[in-house]
Amino acid sequence: MRTPVSAALVAALCFTFPAHAANDADLAEIRAQVKQMKETYEQRIAALENRLAEAEKTAIKAEKTAARTEAGVGQSAAEAAPKATAMTSASAFNPAIYAVLQGVYANLSQDPNKYAIHGFVPSGDIAPAKRGFSIAESELGFSANVDDKIYANLILSLSPDNSVEVEEAYGVLTALPGGFRPKFGRFLSSIGYLNDQHQHGWDFYDAPLPYQAFLGGQFRSDGLQLKWVAPTDTYLELGAEIGDGANFPGTERNRNGVGNYAMYAHAGGDIGASHSWRAGVSYLGLKPRDREYVQVDAAGVDSQMAFSGKSQLAIADFVWKYAPNGNAQNTNFKLQGEYFWRKESGDLTYDRDGALGLTNDSSYASRQSGWYLQSVYQFMPQWRFGVRYDQLATGRPDYGSNAAYLDSSGFNPKRYAAMIDYTTSEFGRFRLQAQQSKLLPDLTDNQVFLQYILTLGAHAAHKY
Amino acid sequence: MNRLLQTLAAMILAACATPAPAVLNVFASVPEWGALVEELGGDKVKVYTATNALQDPHRIEARPSLIARARTADLVVATGAELETGWLPLVLRQSGNARVLPGKAGYFEAAPYVRMLEKPDRLDRAEGDVHPGGNPHIQSDARNIARVAAPLAARLAELDPANAAAYQTRHKAFSGRWSTAIANWERQAEPLRGVPILVQHKAFAYLEDWLGLKQIAALEPKPGVEPTTAHLSAVLAKLQQPPVKMVLRAAYQSDRASRWIAERARIEVVVLPFTVGGNEAAKDLFGLFEDTIQRLLKGAQ
């Protein structure tokens, strides 16, 4: 500290005195002055340093005394401790905040802009990332108790195209007796197993095919949810939801009342210390109005379709986890699968080209299904390997009089995936996933994803 | 479908109609508090322990079984200091049991009643799995058990006033036995004072503080971070000077790193039960400490 100060002083003085004035006497005088100033400053600095050292000593002494008091008095001192760190600013009440950053390098053999699943026309964000480098959705979450009766959570998603979406924004009543837990606002529905898990918590880069085909990725609505956990040793949870039903497979309805109903039951438990399981059944019912989509008709022309009617979805899900003695730290294994059935019936408008008047209204009925099975094995700390198989059955839709224009041939889209991921800590993960999709007849898409997931801030919950 | 609904309705009714049990249902996050509640509550309590000694208490998932048990709990006993931060808050929220949420009488944390060690100066995840409140493995100092026992007994009495006297009596009896035991253990552990040791995870700060063991290094480069061979080599190099006696590891931890270093440094690996149930001998709190000290003495020879 001293050296730079005096060096700076010398430098400053050298610049102040022009060089031509420097005869021996002058130089001696300057030297004397510099020495004097240096000494003065050094004294001052030494004084300051002494004061600092004194202050530090006092602080350490105080800490030691405090520690001794605490240790000696034990309980009462410890009880007093939290009071001593009393909150002094409004920011002490800030909610828990976290951010999830994600990015991917995608290598796709087919154009992701033309991503389609034969026989299914979901809306929503289901196509893989664009080719090459891109960031994926970043997530920003805030949660805290509102008061002694309400807990609230806000999760925003920041899209790579710089738009912000409210992913979830809900309150939960926490003070009700009897194990009832009402939730209100916008939330991911708890149907199935994967639906209410955020994408960064998935074991694969993308959602299983049935989630893409039947729910457009994940189903969320603005509405109410009521969950109840039975007071039994075996886990049993019943839940019901009503909502606006504005998201796929529903549509915006511009009506009063309820747009979607959901019901589910989940059971689970442990078998010994090493095994645990959860299984459930769910139902989702909606009434879409003019759900519009584009479909290639039998003549190979893109046609505008609109469906109105009833859409009913049932899901059966299970997950089984194994970890030796329940200690997942070194090795663990997870097997999970879900089966989806959907029944839709109503009216379908076929519109090849409105201007020429080639439109046709007809009845429509379909029964479609799909499933996936995946398994992830952590073979050593931080390293996991997983495989997944998904398949859909388009069924043979009954197009009524639209059958003249539309191809109702059956085709079963399928996909094989494998992934390996490395977890740097609970907060960082890198994943390599390779998969082959056969979603359209005569078309194979080979995809490779290299993905990262980073979590900042509040500790994430270890959801089952 | 109708039959299913009927069965479901019957189940719900049956569940609701079950009269409140005469015993206090206690949900303990880790075995040491489960054992302590059993000492204090005897037959007045029914204890469910959420984790066992072979599980890493940091890394538990909010399993359905835990949610189900939290649902019926009258009291949740946790360590606190963020030990269970990854799973307990979620379990409690999902259980829908309003009586055991933090802040309610049905939620008890042990950490506020002991003097916390190793409070980090720098809160940064680059430092590994650090806990802002200090090292949460408080149970390895027997004196801390006594410090927690008093407020815990008071809490049991508060929740179950009908049996308040019983909790008080049991606590008094336990305190007496525990003080004698501590005096005994401290006498036995006298040769351990100043003994240099290695630890796998910084899980024994309170044990070291109590018995005067001297931790030379930890095998984990940062708390909760898997030891790398490079780091182990660095630790090994550091060992050339002080004559380290043993390397400590908790029963739930992988033996890879401690075995690696023990073979090269020619020292003993001492696997401590760490909590109740960590081995055959650690059947209860008394057994836990007796066994811990015996193993340490053996390792120090």
Side-chain angles (χ1 to χ4, degrees):
Chain A
M1 189 165 165
R2 257 169 251 186
T3 328
V5 170
S6 35
L9 276 171
V10 173
L13 287 166
C14 289
F15 279 111
T16 337
F17 292 86
H20 62 81
N23 60 42
D24 282 356
D26 285 345
L27 272 177
E29 198 184 327
I30 294 164
R31 281 201 192 99
Q33 279 179 359
V34 170
K35 199 177 163 215
Q36 199 188 340
M37 287 176 83
K38 200 175 148 193
E39 274 166 5
T40 320
Y41 275 96
E42 280 184 352
Q43 274 167 13
R44 282 196 197 170
I45 288 164
L48 279 173
E49 278 183 348
N50 276 338
R51 278 172 63 189
L52 183 67
E54 278 302 313
E56 271 174 357
K57 258 188 227 159
T58 327
I60 289 167
K61 219 185 269 171
E63 216 169 82
K64 275 188 187 156
T65 323
R68 262 204 300 275
T69 324
E70 234 179 287
V73 188
Q75 183 202 331
S76 59
E79 267 179 321
K83 281 170 203 146
T85 57
M87 294 160 180
T88 49
S89 80
S91 64
F93 285 104
N94 276 351
I97 300 173
Y98 74 85
V100 179
L101 310 184
Q102 298 186 76
V104 65
Y105 173 80
N107 195 318
L108 314 170
S109 68
Q110 301 292 338
D111 184 354
N113 297 318
K114 292 184 184 149
Y115 186 81
I117 307 172
H118 180 86
F120 295 89
V121 279
S123 53
D125 204 12
I126 60 156
K130 70 174 187 187
R131 288 165 153 174
F133 292 102
S134 63
I135 58 165
E137 256 180 24
S138 310
E139 195 179 291
L140 201 54
F142 305 83
S143 63
N145 285 323
V146 176
D147 54 27
D148 61 333
K149 297 175 187 68
I150 309 167
Y151 166 86
N153 195 358
L154 169 67
I155 297 172
L156 301 174
S157 121
L158 315 174
S159 302
D161 62 4
N162 300 330
S163 64
V164 180
E165 259 177 70
V166 177
E167 194 139 305
E168 293 194 275
Y170 60 80
V172 183
L173 299 185
T174 54
L176 293 189
F180 289 99
R181 216 158 22 112
K183 194 189 255 191
F184 49 92
R186 174 177 299 179
F187 50 84
L188 287 166
S189 168
S190 292
I191 54 172
Y193 171 69
L194 217 48
N195 195 70
D196 64 1
Q197 297 194 10
H198 284 268
Q199 183 236 343
H200 53 82
W202 298 348
D203 293 325
F204 288 83
Y205 160 74
D206 46 5
L209 273 185
Y211 274 97
Q212 296 190 345
F214 295 113
L215 298 169
Q218 279 171 294
F219 183 72
R220 63 166 65 78
S221 66
D222 298 359
L224 304 172
Q225 178 192 67
L226 182 66
K227 277 190 186 176
W228 179 75
V229 178
T232 49
D233 288 351
T234 302
Y235 173 77
L236 174 68
E237 181 192 66
L238 305 177
E241 292 168 11
I242 50 175
D244 63 347
N247 289 324
F248 183 83
T251 55
E252 192 53 70
R253 297 169 350 116
N254 192 19
R255 281 172 186 227
N256 294 322
V258 174
N260 72 271
Y261 299 88
M263 279 194 302
Y264 37 87
H266 289 118
D270 290 347
I271 302 168
S274 303
H275 304 265
S276 62
W277 62 279
R278 199 192 90 152
V281 286
S282 314
Y283 168 84
L284 174 67
L286 308 103
K287 284 184 177 164
R289 297 268 154 242
D290 288 327
R291 191 174 78 205
E292 293 183 341
Y293 58 94
V294 175
Q295 186 176 344
V296 181
D297 68 8
V301 179
D302 282 354
S303 311
Q304 192 66 42
M305 318 292 297
F307 170 75
S308 299
K310 251 169 76 174
S311 175
Q312 292 172 293
L313 177 70
I315 308 172
D317 65 87
F318 85 93
V319 55
W320 166 62
K321 294 191 187 185
Y322 167 79
N325 291 310
N327 187 9
Q329 168 68 7
N330 298 317
T331 56
N332 63 72
F333 177 79
K334 179 180 179 185
L335 181 69
Q336 123 193 13
E338 296 185 67
Y339 206 107
F340 288 59
W341 295 267
R342 183 171 70 180
K343 199 172 114 184
E344 290 195 319
S345 59
D347 299 310
L348 187 67
T349 305
Y350 163 74
D351 186 348
R352 178 191 281 186
D353 189 342
L356 295 176
L358 182 50
T359 64
N360 188 50
D361 288 337
S362 167
S363 65
Y364 170 83
S366 71
R367 282 166 185 275
Q368 302 179 304
S369 63
W371 59 276
Y372 76 91
L373 188 67
Q374 71 181 50
S375 137
V376 175
Y377 175 52
Q378 181 177 311
F379 53 94
M380 59 184 281
Q382 302 179 294
W383 287 92
R384 305 191 312 160
F385 172 71
V387 288
R388 179 180 70 186
Y389 176 72
D390 341 40
Q391 185 179 320
L392 300 171
T394 55
R396 285 181 175 275
D398 177 1
Y399 284 120
S401 65
N402 278 331
Y405 313 105
L406 297 168
D407 174 16
S408 68
S409 67
F411 173 74
N412 295 339
K414 46 174 88 72
R415 189 168 65 182
Y416 311 84
M419 75 88 191
I420 184 159
D421 66 20
Y422 173 69
T423 307
T424 54
S425 70
E426 270 191 76
F427 307 95
R429 176 167 283 170
F430 294 92
R431 175 179 294 143
L432 177 68
Q433 178 172 336
Q435 60 189 15
Q436 187 173 68
S437 309
K438 293 180 173 170
L439 306 185
L440 297 170
D442 313 321
L443 196 73
T444 301
D445 193 355
N446 293 316
Q447 307 171 327
V448 177
F449 303 101
L450 185 58
Q451 182 196 11
Y452 66 81
I453 307 168
L454 312 176
T455 310
L456 287 65
H459 198 296
H462 305 171
K463 208 164 188 307
Y464 183 77
Chain B
M1 189 72 185
N2 260 336
R3 182 171 288 177
L4 182 73
L5 280 176
Q6 277 173 9
T7 322
L8 267 174
M11 275 171 73
I12 293 169
L13 282 175
C16 290
T18 313
V23 293
L24 207 60
N25 274 317
V26 180
F27 177 107
S29 72
V30 283
E32 57 268 24
W33 309 133
L36 182 57
V37 170
E38 263 163 9
E39 295 281 357
L40 299 173
D43 58 353
K44 306 281 185 267
V45 295
K46 197 177 133 203
V47 178
Y48 172 75
T49 302
T51 58
N52 68 41
L54 298 179
Q55 298 173 352
D56 184 342
H58 300 280
R59 289 167 204 253
I60 301 295
E61 280 186 340
R63 295 199 311 276
S65 57
L66 302 186
I67 299 169
R69 297 299 187 140
R71 164 72 172 87
T72 49
D74 299 303
L75 172 65
V76 168
V77 181
T79 299
E82 291 215 332
L83 178 70
E84 304 97 342
T85 189
W87 55 279
L88 192 57
L90 185 65
V91 165
L92 299 183
R93 257 202 323 275
Q94 294 203 337
S95 75
N97 184 351
R99 294 170 301 156
V100 295
L101 290 179
K104 300 280 164 60
Y107 181 79
F108 179 92
E109 270 188 8
Y113 299 102
V114 307
R115 184 171 57 93
M116 299 301 288
L117 299 177
E118 297 185 351
K119 274 193 196 178
D121 301 325
R122 206 166 83 89
L123 269 187
D124 186 334
R125 292 253 157 82
E127 298 298 314
D129 189 14
V130 291
H131 300 269
N135 188 320
H137 304 293
I138 57 175
Q139 84 285 3
S140 58
D141 179 346
R143 297 169 304 176
N144 283 345
I145 303 289
R147 288 181 185 125
V148 174
L152 184 54
R155 187 65 66 87
L156 289 167
E158 182 189 338
L159 289 169
D160 185 12
N163 291 315
Y167 295 122
Q168 217 171 9
T169 318
R170 287 194 72 99
H171 174 238
K172 224 174 148 191
F174 172 75
S175 284
R177 281 189 299 144
W178 197 250
S179 305
T180 319
I182 287 183
N184 237 333
W185 293 327
E186 284 178 350
R187 206 167 32 248
Q188 286 173 21
E190 205 46 56
L192 294 174
R193 200 151 288 280
V195 168
I197 55 158
L198 290 178
V199 298
Q200 178 143 340
H201 173 63
K202 285 191 171 178
F204 304 102
Y206 297 86
L207 182 72
E208 292 157 14
D209 181 57
W210 175 37
L211 300 181
L213 292 162
K214 207 168 130 219
Q215 183 190 310
I216 302 297
L219 303 191
E220 290 181 348
K222 306 271 181 190
V225 176
E226 282 292 317
T228 56
T229 314
H231 179 74
L232 290 178
S233 304
V235 172
L236 191 62
K238 225 163 117 184
L239 292 188
Q240 305 311 332
Q241 283 311 316
V244 165
K245 289 282 191 187
M246 54 190 146
V247 52
L248 303 191
R249 128 175 120 75
Y252 72 82
Q253 283 168 324
S254 149
D255 65 344
R256 198 182 58 89
S258 47
R259 217 179 46 212
W260 190 97
I261 205 121
E263 278 167 12
R264 281 160 185 80
R266 300 218 168 70
I267 53 173
E268 190 104 1
V269 180
V270 176
V271 184
L272 295 183
F274 191 58
T275 183
V276 175
N279 62 28
E280 286 285 305
K283 280 194 189 70
D284 59 9
L285 287 166
F286 291 92
L288 166 66
F289 285 98
E290 256 149 39
D291 185 66
T292 300
I293 285 167
Q294 289 316 316
R295 281 171 192 270
L296 287 173
L297 287 170
K298 216 175 130 217
Q301 272 166 10

